[in-house]
Amino acid sequence: MGILREPAQFVKELKLPVGFSVCELGNQFMAGGELDRPASEFYKGLGCGRYEAIDANGQGTYTADLNLPLCREDILSWRFDLVTDFGTGEHIFDQGRLWRTLHHLTKPGGYIAFDRPSQGYSKHCFYLITAGLIHDLALANGYTVKRLEIKKTPRGQLLRGILRTPRFPLPFQHPQQGKYQSTLRLKGIA
């Protein structure tokens, strides 16, 4: 898995404080020419004080199946300034659990950064995501959409973005697709 040049630039533009913490879903490498190196080195160059990576391949800092709740005592207490999903989430079957995990790992006022397929990528992954999902997820959880854009690639399209969590802790809420929200509220279901 690799962090491409543009998402790396998004992270640089956040101007995170010296000593910030980062948790990546997937043990990432920087991708593209002179950037080829472990992602941990990239983050340390930006002033990162704590780097963790959760992956099922046994090559991250922690090995976990992201379809399941994180269950190790130390993982449950983690909160990070930046949590990333640069090419892992689309391979996880339980998308609800994945987004709960991203939410849980992010400190209040922290950032969730992602780069996920939105079109094409035949036989590459389980899921493609849409901007509608991101907007409804943000609405349900009080996130601010700091950046959201589509990048065309030879394989299809990627949806890239940065979400900022509220400055106070909130439990994760499942989003409802926008067109159903008012009906469910009227019926007392949502």
Side-chain angles (χ1 to χ4, degrees):
M1 292 168 278
I3 303 173
L4 300 173
R5 193 177 313 269
E6 294 91 345
Q9 186 61 37
F10 294 178
V11 170
K12 285 180 184 178
E13 291 170 5
L14 291 175
K15 296 188 179 6
L16 294 160
V18 173
F20 72 93
S21 56
V22 63
C23 182
E24 296 201 285
L25 300 189
N27 66 307
Q28 301 292 335
F29 284 81
M30 305 308 291
E34 76 282 353
L35 294 178
D36 287 336
R37 60 188 165 147
S40 57
E41 292 178 16
F42 165 72
Y43 290 112
K44 285 181 182 159
L46 296 178
C48 177
R50 181 174 181 203
Y51 174 86
E52 306 288 349
I54 301 172
D55 207 323
N57 67 7
Q59 297 177 22
T61 312
Y62 287 88
T63 302
D65 180 349
L66 292 167
N67 286 293
L68 305 172
L70 298 177
C71 58
R72 288 189 37 189
E73 188 94 6
D74 54 351
I75 295 174
L76 293 174
S77 65
W78 292 354
R79 296 292 184 276
F80 294 87
D81 297 300
L82 174 64
V83 179
T84 71
D85 177 4
F86 292 138
T88 296
E90 67 264 26
H91 305 288
I92 305 302
F93 182 78
D94 189 340
Q95 290 293 291
R97 171 56 56 198
L98 175 82
W99 285 102
R100 265 192 301 287
T101 298
L102 287 164
H103 178 89
H104 174 78
L105 289 171
T106 309
K107 285 182 180 177
Y111 298 94
I112 298 170
F114 60 91
D115 189 17
R116 304 261 307 265
S118 63
Q119 187 180 73
Y121 286 81
S122 177
K123 299 182 183 178
H124 172 76
C125 55
F126 285 137
Y127 299 102
L128 304 174
I129 65 169
T130 67
L133 169 68
I134 299 304
H135 286 293
D136 289 339
L137 184 71
L139 180 65
N141 289 286
Y143 301 158
T144 302
V145 178
K146 302 298 282 181
R147 186 171 203 143
L148 191 62
E149 61 185 51
I150 291 176
K151 170 71 174 181
K152 292 186 182 202
T153 74
R155 296 169 69 188
Q157 290 182 2
L158 296 170
L159 184 63
R160 298 175 164 161
I162 304 275
L163 303 172
R164 184 147 199 202
T165 62
R167 295 190 187 276
F168 45 89
L170 289 174
F172 180 78
Q173 300 294 316
H174 288 102
Q176 293 293 335
Q177 192 174 18
K179 64 183 180 180
Y180 300 112
Q181 289 172 0
S182 60
T183 304
L184 291 171
R185 254 193 310 272
L186 287 173
K187 302 255 184 211
I189 297 172

